[in-house]
Amino acid sequence: MNKSTSNNSKSRSANSGAKRNLIRSRFAGGRLPEVEAFTASLPFDRRLYRHDILGSIAHARMLAKVGLLTPAEARRIATGLKQIETEITDGRFRFELADEDIHLAIERRLTAKIGEAGRKLHTARSRNDQVALDLRMFLRDELRAVVEAIAGLRGALIAVARHHLETVMPGYTHLQRAQPVSLAHHLLAYIEMFERDRERFEQALARTDVMPLGAGALAATTLPIDRAAVARELNFSRLAENSIDAVSDRDFVLDFLSAAAITAVHLSRMSEELILWSTSEFGFIELPDEFATGSSMMPQKKNPDLLELIRGKTGRVLGDLVAMLTVMKGLPLAYNSDLQEDKERVFDALDTIKPSLWVIAKLWPRLRFRVETMRLAAGGFSLATDMAEYLVRRGLPFREAHGVIGKMVRELAAAGRSLEDLSLGELQGYSKLFAVDSIKILSVDHSLAARSVIGGPAPRLVRKRLERFAEK
Ligand code: ARG
């Protein structure tokens, strides 16, 4: 490259490449277009526009309250900002990359619309506390939506479980048939899991509900602002108590992403079970047509793509959490532009878990259960533990009872027979402790009802627990 070409390209990028934005007064030239594009968060943080505008209106009202704006200026700002909100909602707003982010884009437009008063809006404020405010307000709303989506799934699970208090199915350990449970009991396990998720999101909400504005860039301001007034107007429960923490803290994002990661894992486990249950090998459920996909080549296929995708998308959410933890781990206080990476992780996690929760909640009430197949699968050797416990009740030490039933199972399995095939006489051949009443324990219904300790699958208890959840 000779000198004159390099000079040419330099002047092109400096003068015509980028438009000036509001904050480049100390620079002689513009940025390289590539730098401008790389630096901008506008393509994604425009999603915060409503919250940015709400925050700015509250800020302007506070500035008027303390005398830094006249009431008329604050009114002009609020009116201008509301018009801008409509412009953006209607798709009439012209976004320009030179503005870097949604904060500067809105401020530039406001000044173009209302002039002088617009230039006063950023008094005693930095984009560092502004973006923390916007993201907290946005996430507050979204966390409430996630909690609602979880409640929706819980409602669907409760409705299904109520119909299946006595639908017997095998419970598994190591994916081997273990002991009979009911479908309702199995579903209650998920209800408990999602209830813990709900709690985690509520806790994340409480820690998100903290008002950072007034921290300025990092060290607050000499101007006599009233932070509590802003918090009141924006319905925040608390003020951030340290200006450095206020702009550098993203723990609330990590709280949300951790909770989202756990929820995604729960959704993934649920999807995995439904996929298994829908196989010919299990045959426990029939997927409704509206939720299944065909194959481009094999005409007979009915594929659970939806569930596979919920399971597969878990990787994104776990990735979002790890990405954000990694962003944070080496950051000196206070604000650093690395933090700009937070928004896409939040959006991605939200856009993954909310639809997953919605769609799987729609699926549950439409699933058809093959209750006979499930009941059949629950019998056989699954009652071995009940039989050992019978002998325990008759006084045999548990380890001995375990040995008696283990031998029984070994011999029956070799002969291709099952526990239910045994006569009383044969039972007594294994232990004299077996009496007439021992035959009735060889029923899955009896087995369910008999496991009535707290947390057990007895239908009476499961119904009670379901009712407790239904009241929430
Ligand atoms: N776009 C920025 C972000 O998303 C806003 C704050 C920018 N502050 C700064 N000093 N560059 O975090």
Side-chain angles (χ1 to χ4, degrees):
M1 218 194 285
N2 67 37
K3 245 191 176 165
S4 73
T5 351
S6 83
N7 276 344
N8 275 346
S9 70
K10 202 170 162 196
S11 64
R12 212 175 29 246
S13 60
N15 297 329
S16 59
K19 297 201 178 182
R20 288 299 197 86
N21 68 26
L22 294 175
I23 60 168
R24 293 189 62 79
S25 47
R26 60 103 59 228
F27 298 93
R31 284 171 300 176
L32 268 182
E34 295 89 328
V35 172
E36 188 172 278
F38 192 91
T39 315
S41 52
L42 190 54
F44 51 86
D45 69 10
R46 10 188 311 187
R47 193 163 163 179
L48 300 176
Y49 76 96
R50 284 181 205 281
H51 298 94
D52 191 75
I53 285 172
L54 274 174
S56 287
I57 292 175
H59 181 64
R61 288 196 179 130
M62 179 278 289
L63 291 177
K65 179 170 176 271
V66 301
L68 289 164
L69 288 178
T70 67
E73 285 170 329
R75 273 197 302 276
R76 283 219 298 288
I77 288 175
T79 310
L81 286 171
K82 282 181 196 144
Q83 288 167 358
I84 293 170
E85 181 178 357
T86 314
E87 289 172 16
I88 299 178
T89 306
D90 296 350
R92 284 184 284 116
F93 190 92
R94 285 203 29 214
F95 288 100
E96 300 197 15
L97 224 44
D99 285 330
E100 296 186 17
D101 55 32
I102 188 65
H103 323 296
L104 291 180
I106 290 174
E107 193 186 327
R108 177 185 50 75
R109 178 74 186 124
L110 181 68
T111 303
K113 281 172 86 79
I114 69 168
E116 185 67 11
R119 274 199 291 276
K120 295 187 177 176
L121 172 62
H122 211 56
T123 306
R125 189 174 70 167
S126 156
R127 280 181 301 160
N128 299 352
D129 56 350
Q130 187 177 0
V131 72
L133 175 74
D134 293 4
L135 191 57
R136 283 177 183 275
M137 287 170 63
F138 172 85
L139 200 52
R140 241 180 6 176
D141 289 347
E142 290 293 334
L143 283 164
R144 291 186 186 117
V146 171
V147 166
E148 240 173 69
I150 291 178
L153 175 56
R154 178 178 59 206
L157 291 171
I158 291 174
V160 177
R162 278 184 164 153
H163 280 104
H164 293 283
L165 286 162
E166 280 162 35
T167 298
V168 182
M169 63 174 275
Y172 295 85
T173 65
H174 314 272
L175 201 55
Q176 308 284 329
R177 289 175 189 170
Q179 289 185 279
V181 296
S182 68
L183 177 56
H185 190 56
H186 193 96
L187 293 182
L188 252 182
Y190 280 111
I191 294 173
E192 303 280 354
M193 288 152 74
F194 286 109
E195 173 61 9
R196 291 193 294 272
D197 290 344
R198 190 193 60 75
E199 283 170 17
R200 270 185 286 271
F201 286 113
E202 298 274 14
Q203 288 159 2
L205 177 58
R207 282 191 287 267
T208 301
D209 190 16
V210 177
M211 210 293 291
L213 211 65
L218 83 159
T221 172
T222 58
L223 296 167
I225 58 170
D226 182 348
R227 297 187 62 211
V230 177
R232 267 195 309 278
E233 168 139 6
L234 297 175
N235 264 317
F236 275 96
S237 319
R238 287 183 287 156
L239 289 181
E241 296 285 351
N242 175 284
S243 65
I244 296 175
D245 185 47
V247 292
S248 68
D249 168 37
R250 291 295 182 275
D251 290 358
F252 66 101
V253 169
L254 295 176
D255 278 333
F256 160 65
L257 291 175
S258 317
I262 297 173
T263 297
V265 167
H266 290 165
L267 287 167
S268 188
R269 295 181 76 177
M270 175 180 268
S271 300
E272 166 66 7
E273 289 208 319
L274 290 175
I275 291 167
L276 280 174
W277 291 0
S278 72
T279 58
S280 318
E281 284 73 8
F282 270 83
F284 287 2
I285 54 170
E286 168 99 46
L287 281 183
D289 287 357
E290 315 98 276
F291 288 83
T293 313
S295 156
S296 63
M297 182 169 171
M298 301 167 284
Q300 86 284 11
K301 289 302 288 293
K302 187 169 181 186
N303 291 332
D305 294 41
L306 170 88
L307 295 164
E308 293 165 278
L309 284 167
I310 294 176
R311 187 179 60 187
K313 284 174 189 293
T314 307
R316 305 171 75 106
V317 185
L318 305 194
D320 291 327
L321 170 61
V322 173
M324 198 56 209
L325 285 167
T326 312
V327 164
M328 299 308 291
K329 77 171 275 294
L331 281 193
L333 303 181
Y335 181 88
N336 298 270
S337 282
D338 314 44
L339 293 176
Q340 180 166 292
E341 290 291 307
D342 58 1
K343 283 164 282 295
E344 285 167 292
R345 306 283 61 81
V346 168
F347 297 157
D348 185 66
L350 280 171
D351 294 344
T352 307
I353 61 164
K354 277 198 305 177
S356 299
L357 286 163
W358 291 334
V359 78
I360 209 162
K362 282 200 189 309
L363 170 64
W364 273 102
R366 291 176 170 82
L367 281 176
R368 219 171 54 74
F369 294 91
R370 297 214 186 83
V371 295
E372 279 315 308
T373 309
M374 295 167 89
R375 172 174 283 267
L376 219 60
F381 294 128
S382 300
L383 295 172
T385 310
D386 295 58
M387 297 197 68
E389 288 175 355
Y390 175 88
L391 295 177
V392 167
R393 276 197 299 279
R394 309 296 305 264
L396 203 62
F398 178 73
R399 270 292 155 251
E400 272 173 55
H402 189 283
V404 171
I405 308 298
K407 176 166 180 274
M408 188 187 284
V409 168
R410 183 172 73 245
E411 291 175 4
L412 285 170
R417 301 173 69 204
S418 127
L419 286 173
E420 290 101 324
D421 301 336
L422 288 169
S423 65
L424 181 57
E426 284 177 294
L427 282 173
Q428 288 171 337
Y430 285 98
S431 166
K432 289 278 165 269
L433 294 172
F434 282 115
V436 209
D437 63 347
S438 60
I439 290 296
K440 80 162 197 278
I441 61 170
L442 285 171
S443 116
V444 287
D445 295 302
H446 178 272
S447 168
L448 272 196
R451 276 172 285 135
S452 58
V453 301
I454 295 172
R460 179 174 62 81
L461 293 174
V462 171
R463 177 179 295 115
K464 253 173 75 187
R465 186 75 181 140
L466 279 173
E467 248 128 58
R468 277 238 27 228
F469 277 117
E471 286 159 14
K472 287 202 171 200

